[in-house]
Amino acid sequence: MHVARSVKTPSMLRLAAASLAGTAVEFYDFFVYGTAAALVLGPLFFPTLSPMTGTLAAFGTFAAGFVARPLGSVLFGHLGDRRGRRPVLVASLLLTGAATVAVGCLPTYGTIGTAAPLFLLVLRFLQGLGLGGEWGGAVLLTVEHAPAGRRVLWSSFPQIGPSLGFVLANGVMLGLSATLSQTQFAAWGWRIPFWAAGVLAVAGLWLRGSLTESPLFLELHDRARVPFAEVVRGHWRLLLLTAGALAVGYAVFYTVTTWSLVFATERLGVSRTVVLACVLATVVVQGALTPFLALLGDRYGRRPLCLAGCSGVVVWMFPMVALLSTGEPALMFLGFLGAMLSFVTMFAVVAAYLPELYEPRVRCTGAAVGYNLGGVLGGALTPIVATALTGHAGRVPWGVAAYLTTVGLVSLGCFALLPETRPVPVAVAEPAPG
């Protein structure tokens, strides 16, 4: 239509880079909290509890961010489906960045008492609210600009953002852990990564300032009045299937990147620096492989890769837990790597897969809510469940492996019920005989 052609279209590389930068910043904010929850927030904000209970309480505030993410999807999805994808990117980045910096400035329990964990919970909730809107806006702006035959490839750039954000967050934590004493880290060192979020947020806003609105959205005149109500009424089955399908990816990711830190340092006596280095190396490999797996998604379809990755989780969880329990860095890395390869095989394609499952008028809300509900099911509960299952286990927590395998089987069933969405190439008509 004319309105779409009148808008200057950015290069796909510039648009994908801006989307990647924004998701990297917001996931940096989210991940730095998860690492701090595993390493230091329990004693600082819940000192009256036992070490195990304090860790569970810290993971409880960690889970609050996941609970907020679907609510953020509803709030920002409404904005994205009614006003455009671009405003979502600015508002969500501002909210998440401000909440993260505020965590770094928050007095601990020793200074303000019980108000400290309450403020921590509120700020974590605001972090999740902003992140719930980020993914949908960043992904849709990329997907709706991309050519059909390379939609998975270009939409995989925002999917690299979480890996980059994790590497930044844990790289900072690793550097501080290696250079500061335990006393210095607990006193003030843990705050530095949260303060750095302010600088990263400003950089992200600058990169996104020149982005144009999605041409598909500009052509869309029949916009949903209340997008979430329309999704629940007309797409509830799809919403539940997508949430259930994606739960396993979150479960695996946060088992490796969050729960394993607690288990390896507290139960196995492995150095915090060693565990962080193993996890960091794994996520670097995951991020590097994302665009290559996305190319396979464009060539062979979205659903086959999701089924393959989910099957890999089911097969690998018991070996992963066994390798982690050795406490040997090389074997721990191998266990993490197998799990994350399964994870990225799925998540390299979901940024294109989810939007393609929903019609354009409710796409921002439907895709984002489904994605973030999966986060509640898999990401919010897994560190808590895994920590509880580890409490009375022996050196090898087989219960954690059984739990993850069960989640994998449920997600595999959900993926099996979802349709393929890869665009079918238009065949060239053969000339009529005679």
Side-chain angles (χ1 to χ4, degrees):
M1 294 180 65
H2 176 72
V3 67
R5 289 193 298 268
S6 66
V7 177
K8 183 181 179 181
T9 302
S11 73
M12 283 307 305
L13 188 59
R14 181 163 64 86
L15 193 151
S19 295
L20 185 157
T23 54
V25 171
E26 293 217 39
F27 276 93
Y28 166 89
D29 298 349
F30 204 72
F31 290 146
V32 80
Y33 188 100
T35 305
L39 297 178
V40 75
L41 294 186
L44 291 177
F45 288 88
F46 305 94
T48 60
L49 304 177
S50 68
M52 175 64 74
T53 309
T55 299
L56 283 171
F59 280 149
T61 61
F62 177 74
F66 283 97
V67 173
R69 283 172 64 169
L71 298 178
S73 299
V74 174
L75 174 65
F76 288 103
H78 184 92
L79 176 65
D81 284 323
R82 293 289 302 164
R83 302 296 181 186
R85 315 327 189 187
R86 187 175 177 274
V88 172
L89 301 184
V90 176
S92 61
L93 187 55
L94 280 172
L95 178 59
T96 308
T100 306
V101 172
V103 172
C105 300
L106 188 63
T108 61
Y109 186 95
T111 304
I112 61 173
T114 54
L118 292 177
F119 282 129
L120 185 67
L121 183 65
V122 170
L123 291 173
R124 177 59 175 174
F125 187 86
L126 292 175
Q127 259 194 337
L129 206 66
L131 190 61
E134 162 65 27
W135 186 86
V139 163
L140 260 65
L141 203 61
T142 308
V143 166
E144 292 180 346
H145 274 95
R150 285 290 180 262
R151 197 174 288 152
V152 180
L153 174 63
W154 289 114
S155 67
S156 73
F157 279 77
Q159 291 297 83
I160 300 172
S163 300
L164 184 56
F166 183 87
V167 170
L168 288 172
N170 284 271
V172 173
M173 283 288 191
L174 182 60
L176 292 170
S177 176
T179 56
L180 300 178
S181 68
Q182 181 66 36
T183 302
Q184 290 172 322
F185 185 78
W188 53 268
W190 67 273
R191 297 182 183 275
I192 293 175
F194 290 93
W195 295 337
V199 178
L200 294 174
V202 171
L205 289 170
W206 176 78
L207 284 170
R208 288 181 166 183
S210 62
L211 294 182
T212 59
E213 186 53 77
S214 157
L216 189 149
F217 176 80
L218 293 174
E219 291 179 354
L220 186 65
H221 300 294
D222 182 25
R223 299 173 187 173
R225 290 178 58 84
V226 186
F228 181 64
E230 191 167 317
V231 168
V232 172
R233 184 173 58 250
H235 306 280
W236 62 268
R237 182 176 179 272
L238 178 59
L239 192 66
L240 293 177
L241 284 176
T242 52
L246 297 180
V248 66
Y250 283 100
V252 169
F253 188 89
Y254 286 100
T255 295
V256 171
T257 61
T258 302
W259 168 79
S260 68
L261 298 178
V262 177
F263 177 74
T265 55
E266 295 185 2
R267 294 294 296 272
L268 303 179
V270 181
S271 163
R272 180 177 62 208
T273 304
V274 169
V275 185
L276 282 173
C278 290
V279 173
L280 196 62
T282 305
V283 176
V284 168
V285 175
Q286 171 215 316
L289 289 176
T290 298
F292 298 101
L293 289 163
L295 285 171
L296 295 179
D298 276 323
R299 182 174 179 83
Y300 298 108
R302 291 72 160 130
R303 187 168 169 268
L305 266 73
C306 290
L307 291 171
C310 206
S311 300
V313 171
V314 172
V315 171
W316 189 248
M317 289 303 96
F318 278 91
M320 185 200 76
V321 168
L323 290 166
L324 169 62
S325 299
T326 65
E328 294 293 331
L331 296 179
M332 291 167 58
F333 171 73
L334 179 61
F336 294 158
L337 184 61
M340 296 302 271
L341 289 177
S342 299
F343 161 81
V344 74
T345 301
M346 293 178 281
F347 272 58
V349 302
V350 297
Y353 192 24
L354 260 67
E356 289 171 344
L357 288 167
Y358 290 89
E359 59 182 304
R361 57 185 277 116
V362 295
R363 179 173 287 162
C364 194
T365 300
V369 172
Y371 186 84
N372 287 296
L373 275 178
V376 174
L377 297 175
L381 296 178
T382 294
I384 298 172
V385 172
T387 301
L389 290 173
T390 307
H392 302 289
R395 184 176 176 86
V396 184
W398 296 119
V400 175
Y403 168 74
L404 293 170
T405 302
T406 301
V407 175
L409 289 169
V410 172
S411 292
L412 188 62
C414 291
F415 274 126
L417 294 173
L418 289 172
E420 178 56 80
T421 61
R422 181 166 66 103
V424 178
V426 177
V428 178
E430 295 182 3

